Amino acid sequence: MSGKLALLNETLAAAKAEGRAALIAYLPAGFPTVDGGIEAITAVLAGGADIVEVGLPHSDPVLDGPVIQTADDIALRGGVRIADVMRTVREAHAATGKPVLVMTYWNPIDRYGVERFTAELAEAGGAGCILPDLPVEESASWREHAEKHGLATVFVVAPSSRTERIGTIAAAGSGFVYAASLMGVTGTRESVGAQAQDLVERTRTTTGLPVCVGLGVSNAGQAAQVASFADGVIVGSAFVKRILDAPDAAAGVTAVRELAAELAAGVRAGSGRRADG
């Protein structure tokens, strides 16, 4: 079965060919509702994001800060299920033609069944999964099924990771490497500092995969800063916060579309001072 990993690779390569970083957005499925989440995710892609990560809400999101935890809680109280995540992927991809990944902790996939999850994600048009808490050493079964269905496996590296370890992680992954810009949980930050650039540079010594930076980017200026050295800029909490702060669902959709456009402009502005040409 031909999967959407090729589309993800092509999208990242096209951004690089334009001399810019890709803009990757994150929003959880089922937030504020299943239908509302699909509308918001589609709006973010229409507004300028190149790729989107659909979060699978989890009751113990260890990597996520209070903003995304709040959104996950809303989605879970609304009764979101894996079937709703798959529907979100299917409709967002069908509406935009852009790559859609799922970001999820391992436990829900383990309980659902790896073969079932990968088959359904591929059938929905998903490009792959970001798996922040799955150790590479325990990932063989996942990778076998993901490869069979043409899905990317994106692993996360952190500033604390030794370069040798980064190489092991990157070698096992596909699509891109997710570089966590700082130690700690997701959330907006006042700045995204030198740690992130150092991590990108160290990761690039180990792999030819694109290196995309997440955790902390919330505005066009920060997007430009990260775009000057990374292959992709990942933004999550800032989108979630726009929806949480909106007076109603329609205003939330408008707000995330506008933020996507601002961030897309920021990514392009940062590309003019890219260190890697």
Side-chain angles (χ1 to χ4, degrees):
M1 180 186 296
S2 63
K4 291 292 187 288
L5 170 57
L7 176 63
L8 176 65
N9 292 340
E10 288 161 11
T11 300
L12 289 162
K16 184 176 183 179
E18 291 176 25
R20 67 173 179 89
L23 175 61
I24 304 174
Y26 165 94
L27 277 170
F31 168 71
T33 61
V34 175
D35 288 344
I38 291 167
E39 192 176 357
I41 288 166
T42 302
V44 164
L45 286 166
D50 299 291
I51 298 162
V52 75
E53 304 170 10
V54 175
L56 194 160
H58 188 47
S59 55
D60 185 27
V62 292
L63 186 71
D64 296 311
V67 172
I68 291 175
Q69 284 185 24
T70 299
D72 278 4
D73 187 55
I74 290 168
L76 290 166
R77 284 192 281 114
V80 71
R81 300 157 60 93
I82 287 180
D84 299 313
V85 177
M86 298 299 178
R87 182 186 151 212
T88 300
V89 170
R90 178 181 292 106
E91 295 195 15
H93 174 64
T96 65
K98 292 185 176 182
V100 181
L101 298 120
V102 169
M103 184 163 190
T104 179
Y105 296 95
W106 180 244
N107 183 256
I109 295 178
D110 195 36
R111 289 169 58 189
Y112 196 72
V114 175
E115 170 56 26
R116 181 184 177 194
F117 189 93
T118 51
E120 290 183 8
L121 181 57
E123 189 276 328
C129 261
I130 300 164
L131 300 162
D133 66 339
L134 177 64
V136 168
E137 292 77 11
E138 297 171 24
S139 68
S141 174
W142 163 268
R143 286 187 285 132
E144 177 188 340
H145 289 291
E147 193 172 328
K148 181 171 79 173
H149 291 292
L151 299 171
T153 298
V154 179
F155 290 115
V156 179
V157 296
S160 60
S161 305
R162 295 178 183 273
T163 302
E164 184 182 2
R165 178 65 181 164
I166 291 171
T168 301
I169 293 169
S174 54
F176 63 91
V177 179
Y178 187 125
S181 67
L182 38 78
M183 300 306 294
V185 297
T186 60
T188 60
R189 299 291 195 279
E190 292 301 312
S191 63
V192 182
Q195 261 193 332
Q197 186 163 357
D198 174 70
L199 178 57
V200 169
E201 289 170 359
R202 288 197 294 127
T203 303
R204 281 201 179 124
T205 67
T206 72
T207 181
L209 289 174
V211 185
C212 303
V213 172
L215 276 65
V217 176
S218 61
N219 58 48
Q222 291 172 343
Q225 180 191 356
V226 174
S228 71
F229 60 81
D231 299 302
V233 179
I234 302 169
V235 183
S237 295
F239 283 113
V240 172
K241 193 170 188 306
R242 289 284 178 108
I243 294 175
L244 289 172
D245 291 346
D248 55 54
V253 170
T254 299
V256 294
R257 184 186 289 110
E258 289 173 349
L259 178 59
E262 292 165 17
L263 292 166
V267 162
R268 283 164 174 79
S271 302
R273 50 180 193 269
R274 287 176 69 79
D276 61 353

